[in-house]
Amino acid sequence: MAATAAAALAAGALVVAAAAPSTASSIAAAPSAGDPHADGTWTVTGPAHTDLSAELSVDSAGDLRLAVDRDGLPVLLPGRLGIRTDAHDLTTGLSFVSKRERTVHESYTMTTGKQLRQSVTMQEATFTFRGADGASLGVVVRVSHDGVAYRYQLGGSGQVTVESEASTFEVPTDAKAWVQPYQPSYETERTETTAGTANEAQPKTCTGDTCSFGYPTLFDVGGSYVLLTEADVDGRYSGSHLDHKDGSTSYSVALADDAPVTSTGPLSTPWRTAIVGSLDTLVGSTLVNDLAPPSKVKDTSWIRPGVDDWSWLSDGNSPGNFDRQKDFVDYAAAHGLEYTLVDAGWQESWVPELVRYARARGVNVLLWFDWNDLKTQAQRDAWLPKVKAWGVAGVKVDYMYSDSQSTFQWYDAILQDTAKLKLMIDFHGATIPRGLQRTWPQVMSVEAVRGEENGQNPTRDIFLAFTRNVVGSMDYTPTWFSRPGRQDTLARELALPVVFESGWTSLGDNPEGFAAQPLAEEYLEQLPTVWDETHLVSGSPEQQAAGDRQVVMARRSGDRWFVGGILAGASDTMKAPLGFLGKGTWLLQTVEDNGGSLQRSVRTVTSADALSVPAAANGGFAAIVCPAVKGRTDCDEPVVTAPSTSLVLDPSTTTAAPGAQITVDAQFTLPQGAALHGVRMTLDRDRLPAGWTATGRDVTAGSLSAGHVLGGDWTVTVGKDQPGGAVDVPVWVEYANPAGKNAPPVHVEQVVHVDIPLHGTVYASDLPFLSQTNGWGPVERDRSNGETGAQDGNPLTVDGTVYSKGLGANATSQVQVDIQGRCTRFDAKVGVDDEVAGKGSVTFIVQGDGKQLAATGVVVGGQAAVDLGADVTGVHTLTLSVGDGGDGNAFDHADWGQAVLTCAD
């Protein structure tokens, strides 16, 4: 049995040792089964060498309470437990039925986080109680070395509607507290206060004498720290927060929006979680992930954390500028950064070209989305495969701002979709992590923080190290060195991406700002974003004698330690004992402030030494520690970048009719430098439209020396049913990344742009837009304008008539399409969509090459569709415009129903 358990543990399996139902000898003052008036207390102790225990009790009224002790001293006072459904009140009148115990061992590997390899042991006890009406309630309690958690279990296979929980954490009123007023964005400021007076720190968002606070919430109870949060939340439930009545000890769990939760039984609720211990225990805790379900993604080889340069923070208009985004790609390529993140403003017309440009330089592109464009399955099915085909490595999704059950169901859906497509994801404008990154390892980071983009607050940053970042990756977006009016020093800004863990670390400055700080550049070139080990070296959220707060964090990657220290408040000396280092001699490479610039020093240390850094007000430092081996003078590893290569396609553009053949010739060269290895060239058949075929073989080379040419050729046949328009035929070359260390292959790609002449009947909604503007969200294809998201409209409907094809717009709107001079007639049924319930007034205009060809008068909501047609003979650029009817554009949802072109055969 022991050998079997050990093998399973080594394989990353869950191993449990179950005990028989408890007897009187294992229960203190055990009640008689089924007696609702008997008191009882059960103690669940942690695994060996831990100092935590939980005491579950039931009183004579049948009320459940849970308390937590550390070293035999109370940390959490007895707090109520229980749950109400629409069918049963399981908060009182409960009687004990049975108890089962087991030891839970888990071994698993993360793709992100403070400690990639986890081995955890938890003691678990499952208690069964019977309600006054005979309904059953399970309470599962787990105790580990770093905390206590419990959840409810409701049996049955039918629908379960949870109306509320009685779950309450009881904290002494004089306990020091660090609280955050609850908003579903989690972007409010944290405040240091006490448990009893926390409401005084709350802005005017309370209801009477009750205020709401967001997770995670930190308390100092007699020198033991308690961080309250929750774990394992998905679409079966909603998120929650804590409600507190002014002056009381009680922090009660409140479901999101105070709305019922409906699930299919049997139901296990999320874990109500208290991380408990010293500050070092809190900072190193993995309890939230330990409580989460195992990974749903078997193959994680495609998941690659890393550093990106992010243009939006320092240059808000840059995401809409192709040339400026290339500057950020060039910077990432030159400095060995894995990614460039393109935020709001990107255009479908040039992103594929930017992706090709970046990947040829060894940089992958991450793409921002408003969640309104990915809210429905239809929207995700339209967008996610498309950007994957472009070569985008991952997406950043923004503006969810909700803890509701429906939003968690959306998280479930998009996580399944991105895992299937092998797209990594970052959630911005999101809820806090609750173990999500263990279950869905493609989640690289989560915002849920008032970060760098929301202004600076050095004190807030200290609090975050002991609260928000404890429970999961935090997309803080640090290192805006050139920020106007910056409130911290350069060295402190440099330390932030070490103090704060994030699987994707989005650097906040622009190429010019980074170039002005070469020592910072050198440090960031070395920076990992995932860690083998994490330690709090020194510091506290509490104010020091000198009037400042500080934290020093050490994180290990391989054989190197990265140390970051930040200070908030008056200048002070920051001390970092180096006891976390192993035996032997080490090189300590430190970057610190020197007036208004940075300076670097290197010295030899051992684990018996301590680093001492004089820091200016709101200052800090960053360091790297590596083994001191003979001949080594610093801790830097070389930055290896992708060489410049050339892939030329002949032809690069061509025109071909349906059924025609195209011969594609490709030549790939490395002009200079060391030979490339593992080279493969192919025409990507998987990305050809349906009905297209290609013949020809892939070309490979074990190595390709500078000046040599790798050539390939293919014959492509256009599908016989291919409609008119433009199609890109991709040819790519991949070779082994010279950076090594399991870096992904470098991907060099070019396309043959094939124009298919328009012919026969062509719908405007099937043509690519040369340009589009719209008064509310994007112009929609084959659906109404809807709301602000793409593909979020309804069937095009005017005065009760539904049109299967067409465009949905909102005044003022303009769409331009290329009709190649091959069409003779444009016709449409135009009107105001029924989704605005008879409101709205618009005008429609058709232009050809800038000349007005046809127009309507004012068309109002509820009016029957108007026939609008024009002779477009010889026209190349067709422009379809919608005006606001002279009374503003509110409710001006305009439909171009059955917008069709008659073109040459």
Side-chain angles (χ1 to χ4, degrees):
M1 177 66 73
T4 303
L9 182 60
L14 169 66
V15 182
V16 297
S22 61
T23 63
S25 62
S26 61
I27 303 172
S32 301
D35 181 358
H37 302 293
D39 298 349
T41 300
W42 304 264
T43 299
V44 184
T45 57
H49 310 297
T50 60
D51 53 8
L52 296 181
S53 63
E55 294 83 35
L56 181 68
S57 63
V58 60
D59 63 17
S60 59
D63 295 351
L64 293 179
R65 285 180 169 80
L66 184 76
V68 176
D69 290 352
R70 181 181 180 226
D71 271 337
L73 299 176
V75 175
L76 288 174
L77 306 176
R80 285 288 304 277
L81 272 65
I83 192 167
R84 294 182 183 89
T85 72
D86 62 347
H88 307 287
D89 182 356
L90 296 170
T91 66
T92 191
L94 298 170
S95 57
F96 173 74
V97 175
S98 64
K99 172 189 175 186
R100 296 186 68 87
E101 295 177 297
R102 66 174 185 168
T103 300
V104 178
H105 301 287
E106 287 188 297
S107 180
Y108 62 93
T109 300
M110 299 282 292
T111 59
T112 56
K114 65 185 80 171
Q115 185 174 336
L116 293 181
R117 292 173 178 82
Q118 292 294 334
S119 181
V120 60
T121 300
M122 295 176 279
Q123 294 300 121
E124 178 184 284
T126 299
F127 301 86
T128 303
F129 296 91
R130 182 175 298 113
D133 62 358
S136 178
L137 172 66
V139 178
V140 185
V141 179
R142 283 189 180 179
V143 181
S144 71
H145 79 282
D146 55 350
V148 174
Y150 68 89
R151 75 189 322 172
Y152 305 115
Q153 291 181 334
L154 300 174
S157 58
Q159 181 173 291
V160 179
T161 299
V162 175
E163 295 182 338
S164 65
E165 294 185 22
S167 310
T168 303
F169 296 99
E170 296 284 343
V171 185
T173 57
D174 60 351
K176 192 166 285 188
W178 291 266
V179 298
Q180 178 184 32
Y182 174 71
Q183 290 182 0
S185 67
Y186 295 85
E187 293 179 10
T188 53
E189 295 283 12
R190 279 180 170 80
T191 304
E192 183 182 286
T193 179
T194 66
T197 62
N199 291 19
E200 297 175 11
Q202 173 82 307
K204 297 179 181 179
T205 56
C206 304
T207 302
D209 61 355
T210 300
C211 298
S212 297
F213 297 95
Y215 299 123
T217 302
L218 178 64
F219 300 95
D220 177 357
V221 183
S224 290
Y225 290 86
V226 181
L227 189 68
L228 301 181
T229 189
E230 61 183 351
D232 188 18
V233 185
D234 57 22
R236 75 186 185 280
Y237 216 74
S238 74
S240 69
H241 55 268
L242 296 173
D243 280 351
H244 176 250
K245 186 174 181 179
D246 192 31
S248 77
T249 60
S250 299
Y251 282 78
S252 300
V253 173
L255 301 184
D257 308 322
D258 294 322
V261 169
T262 300
S263 290
T264 301
L267 172 64
S268 291
T269 70
W271 292 98
R272 305 291 163 225
T273 305
I275 301 171
V276 181
S278 66
L279 286 175
D280 188 42
T281 298
L282 259 66
V283 166
S285 173
T286 60
L287 182 59
V288 170
N289 286 329
D290 297 341
L291 294 168
S295 173
K296 295 178 182 288
V297 181
K298 292 183 179 180
D299 173 20
T300 61
S301 61
W302 54 275
I303 300 172
R304 300 181 185 277
V307 177
D308 66 81
D309 58 353
W310 175 49
S311 70
W312 182 89
L313 184 63
S314 61
D315 190 352
N317 293 323
S318 60
N321 186 320
F322 173 68
D323 290 330
R324 184 58 171 157
Q325 288 303 136
K326 287 173 67 177
D327 292 341
F328 281 83
V329 168
D330 290 341
Y331 185 84
H335 293 274
L337 308 185
E338 292 88 348
Y339 300 103
T340 286
L341 170 56
V342 187
D343 214 277
W346 59 266
Q347 299 295 316
E348 185 176 351
S349 59
W350 53 255
V351 165
E353 183 179 351
L354 180 72
V355 173
R356 292 193 292 270
Y357 180 84
R359 296 181 80 188
R361 288 154 179 79
V363 177
N364 278 288
V365 170
L366 313 174
L367 208 57
W368 177 94
F369 275 91
D370 184 326
W371 94 296
N372 287 295
D373 291 335
L374 298 173
K375 188 182 294 186
T376 68
Q377 191 64 55
Q379 290 173 305
R380 294 190 294 275
D381 288 345
W383 271 118
L384 295 179
K386 179 186 293 187
V387 301
K388 177 67 177 180
W390 293 346
V392 169
V395 293
K396 170 183 175 179
V397 188
D398 207 345
Y399 303 138
M400 286 72 73
Y401 293 151
S402 174
D403 278 323
S404 68
Q405 183 181 16
S406 62
T407 303
F408 275 96
Q409 290 168 344
W410 174 85
Y411 280 114
D412 292 346
I414 196 170
L415 288 166
Q416 291 173 3
D417 293 339
T418 51
K420 182 179 179 180
L421 290 168
K422 296 186 176 181
L423 281 170
M424 293 172 284
I425 192 166
D426 170 20
F427 290 117
H428 220 59
T431 190
I432 60 166
R434 295 168 167 90
L436 194 68
Q437 290 175 279
R438 178 186 177 188
T439 308
W440 296 102
Q442 78 270 26
V443 179
M444 293 292 96
S445 195
V446 178
E447 189 185 23
V449 64
R450 190 168 181 83
E452 188 85 8
E453 68 180 80
N454 291 307
Q456 292 185 294
N457 181 339
T459 300
R460 169 223 300 160
D461 295 346
I462 303 295
F463 295 165
L464 291 174
F466 300 102
T467 55
R468 164 62 183 85
N469 205 201
V470 171
V471 301
S473 290
M474 185 174 76
D475 192 5
Y476 183 88
T477 64
T479 69
W480 188 2
F481 300 107
S482 65
R483 181 180 196 137
R486 182 168 41 79
Q487 297 179 33
D488 61 354
T489 69
L490 293 169
R492 185 185 187 282
E493 197 71 21
L494 182 61
L496 288 175
V498 177
V499 175
F500 297 150
E501 178 271 317
S502 180
W504 280 343
T505 295
S506 295
L507 304 182
D509 217 329
N510 53 48
E512 298 78 15
F514 286 123
Q517 307 298 335
L519 289 179
E521 286 185 305
E522 292 175 9
Y523 189 88
L524 294 172
E525 287 173 350
Q526 303 297 313
L527 184 69
T529 66
V530 296
W531 308 99
D532 296 310
E533 197 174 345
T534 291
H535 288 288
L536 173 66
V537 178
S538 63
S540 163
E542 301 185 43
Q543 199 166 41
Q544 306 299 303
D548 64 273
R549 291 178 172 86
Q550 54 182 270
V551 58
V552 179
M553 200 80 72
R555 302 186 190 270
R556 181 176 63 83
S557 175
D559 66 353
R560 296 192 297 174
W561 286 90
F562 289 74
V563 184
I566 60 174
L567 177 148
S571 61
D572 197 2
T573 298
M574 303 188 70
K575 296 183 179 180
L578 301 178
F580 58 86
L581 298 174
K583 296 180 180 179
T585 305
W586 299 76
L587 284 183
L588 172 65
Q589 178 176 306
T590 308
V591 181
E592 56 192 88
D593 291 302
N594 180 20
S597 61
L598 294 171
Q599 66 179 13
R600 188 171 88 163
S601 61
V602 181
R603 63 188 176 97
T604 303
V605 297
T606 70
S607 61
D609 294 323
L611 174 62
S612 181
V613 180
N618 297 329
F621 71 91
I624 307 176
V625 192
C626 60
V629 297
K630 186 176 181 179
R632 191 171 196 173
T633 59
D634 60 41
C635 292
D636 292 345
E637 295 181 353
V639 176
V640 181
T641 60
S644 176
T645 58
S646 173
L647 175 61
V648 177
L649 304 185
D650 184 21
S652 58
T653 63
T654 189
T655 299
Q661 290 188 333
I662 307 161
T663 299
V664 178
D665 177 78
Q667 293 192 331
F668 177 72
T669 56
L670 170 70
Q672 59 184 8
L676 305 179
H677 299 283
V679 186
R680 177 192 173 200
M681 174 190 289
T682 187
L683 186 147
D684 197 336
R685 294 168 175 82
D686 292 339
R687 288 161 58 191
L688 295 177
W692 290 49
T693 60
T695 58
R697 295 182 178 180
D698 292 357
V699 182
T700 60
S703 64
L704 182 68
S705 301
H708 289 217
V709 176
L710 185 69
D713 57 83
W714 297 267
T715 299
V716 178
T717 303
V718 179
K720 293 182 179 180
D721 298 325
Q722 178 65 35
V727 173
D728 287 337
V729 175
V731 175
W732 53 258
V733 175
E734 286 188 346
Y735 60 89
N737 197 314
K741 294 184 178 180
N742 297 316
V746 179
H747 182 100
V748 183
E749 181 176 308
Q750 296 293 343
V751 297
V752 178
H753 186 82
V754 182
D755 287 317
I756 312 299
L758 298 179
H759 53 278
T761 298
V762 179
Y763 288 101
S765 58
D766 293 334
L767 295 176
F769 296 159
L770 297 175
S771 67
Q772 65 128 323
T773 58
N774 204 47
W776 180 251
V779 175
E780 298 282 14
R781 301 174 185 271
D782 302 331
R783 63 185 70 205
S784 66
N785 186 86
E787 299 299 331
T788 57
Q791 288 110 27
D792 68 354
N794 303 300
L796 294 157
T797 309
V798 178
D799 193 31
T801 301
V802 178
Y803 301 97
S804 60
K805 301 290 293 182
L807 302 173
N810 191 105
T812 301
S813 171
Q814 185 182 88
V815 172
Q816 291 188 326
V817 293
D818 179 10
I819 61 173
Q820 304 174 350
R822 291 182 52 83
C823 303
T824 58
R825 184 76 189 170
F826 170 80
D827 290 285
K829 304 279 190 178
V830 300
V832 178
D833 196 273
D834 289 354
E835 69 187 0
V836 294
K839 301 175 183 178
S841 62
V842 298
T843 61
F844 295 85
I845 302 172
V846 180
Q847 293 175 297
D849 294 331
K851 179 181 178 181
Q852 182 169 313
L853 304 178
T856 66
V858 175
V859 180
V860 300
Q863 179 181 339
V866 175
D867 290 320
L868 181 62
D871 184 344
V872 295
T873 302
V875 169
H876 284 264
T877 301
L878 178 69
T879 303
L880 306 178
S881 301
V882 177
D884 67 11
D887 59 354
N889 71 344
F891 306 105
D892 286 353
H893 289 206
D895 292 352
W896 296 86
Q898 300 300 115
V900 66
L901 290 152
T902 302
C903 305
D905 291 331

